[in-house]
Amino acid sequence: GDWKYGPARYIENYNDDLICIQQNKLSLAGVGKDILETARDASFVSVSRNVVGAFKYYSGDYGVDNHPESVLIVDGDVFFADASRRKVLKFNPQSGGISPISDKGLANLFDSYFEDLEDATGVKKVVSGFDPKTDTYYITLHAKGDSGHTDRTVGYDMKIDRWMSKYTFTPDIYLHQNRLMYSALNKPSFDAIFYRHDDNDAQDNRCKFYTAA
């Protein structure tokens, strides 16, 4: 990508393209589907030089700043956080490109959250997760090693494009598999490393994560 937009923080396959999210910009580049091309003589092959095409930059000077761990790709939607601009973004080329979903009713809240993260000490991370059962996207902002910082998690309903709630769990990492979401908190004092986010009717298990209330 163009270096005027800062270093490339995140590069990944995206459908048939290559997505590149720099510090201040997002772009897509076409990738040659046939790396090996048959020459005129069928007994020989030649390596294609047309591997990566030109990058297409999308409007909006949004990138991942210093938080590539915030990027999450789910069913063609790309979620990421731009901490310097205090925004949470969703990208999909089929639905208008980049959209600052943090502006949907929670612009002031996220502005405050990112400001607090900027002022924090310790190891700062912005991690994303997805719950397939509820079609909910989660974003967590935390600063490890700063006892004065309040870690926060907010959930976004992908079906109705609306922020739903704040949550008490603030994991270090998310993952999802077989229509279930898991998260983990790296804290030796907790007995459980991974927590499975699967609703049940046990009264003593509600709002408890990593064996902590």
Side-chain angles (χ1 to χ4, degrees), residues 92-113:
N92 192 314
Q94 305 302 320
S95 57
I98 302 174
S99 173
I101 59 174
S102 54
D103 288 351
K104 295 185 176 183
L106 292 186
N108 291 336
L109 182 72
F110 275 107
D111 187 74
S112 174
Y113 284 0

Side-chain angles (χ1 to χ4, degrees), residues 7-213:
R9 299 295 193 193
Y10 182 90
I11 299 175
E12 183 60 86
N13 291 328
Y14 177 78
N15 296 332
D16 292 330
D17 295 322
L18 190 70
I19 187 170
C20 176
I21 310 180
Q22 296 172 245
Q23 189 169 2
N24 299 297
K25 204 72 171 176
L26 181 149
S27 61
L28 292 180
V31 179
K33 296 180 181 178
D34 295 319
I35 302 302
L36 295 177
E37 296 178 339
T38 303
R40 290 184 178 181
D41 187 335
S43 64
F44 294 95
V45 293
S46 62
V47 178
S48 171
R49 295 181 180 180
N50 187 25
V51 178
V52 179
F55 283 88
K56 176 184 177 182
Y57 288 93
Y58 284 80
S59 61
D61 291 330
Y62 298 117
V64 289
D65 194 30
N66 293 314
H67 294 288
E69 75 279 1
S70 70
V71 181
L72 176 71
I73 302 177
V74 179
D75 297 332
D77 290 327
V78 182
F79 296 91
F80 62 100
D82 189 329
S84 64
R85 294 173 176 83
R86 301 175 183 175
K87 302 286 186 182
V88 181
L89 296 310
K90 183 177 77 170
F91 168 74
N92 192 314
Q94 305 302 320
S95 57
I98 302 174
S99 173
I101 59 174
S102 54
D103 288 351
K104 295 185 176 183
L106 292 186
N108 291 336
L109 182 72
F110 275 107
D111 187 74
S112 174
Y113 284 0
F114 282 116
E115 182 179 9
D116 288 348
L117 186 67
E118 181 181 348
D119 294 339
T121 59
V123 180
K124 306 173 188 180
K125 293 184 68 177
V126 181
V127 295
S128 296
F130 173 66
D131 189 340
K133 292 186 68 175
T134 61
D135 282 333
T136 302
Y137 158 72
Y138 294 97
I139 183 168
T140 298
L141 296 82
H142 57 64
K144 295 296 179 182
D146 185 348
S147 59
H149 180 265
T150 300
D151 298 342
R152 298 175 170 99
T153 296
V154 187
Y156 180 81
D157 191 317
M158 295 172 60
K159 297 188 301 293
I160 61 175
D161 291 325
R162 181 180 300 172
W163 294 98
M164 297 303 296
S165 180
K166 294 182 284 185
Y167 298 86
T168 58
F169 55 90
T170 56
D172 294 312
I173 190 171
Y174 292 90
L175 60 89
H176 60 275
Q177 185 178 30
N178 298 330
R179 293 198 55 76
L180 290 174
M181 184 178 79
Y182 301 81
S183 68
L185 181 63
N186 183 20
K187 194 169 184 178
S189 60
F190 290 170
D191 296 332
I193 298 176
F194 282 93
Y195 183 89
R196 187 181 73 184
H197 294 249
D198 189 15
D199 292 340
N200 59 58
D201 295 328
Q203 294 289 335
D204 63 351
N205 194 41
R206 294 180 181 177
C207 296
K208 291 186 178 181
F209 300 86
Y210 327 114
T211 70

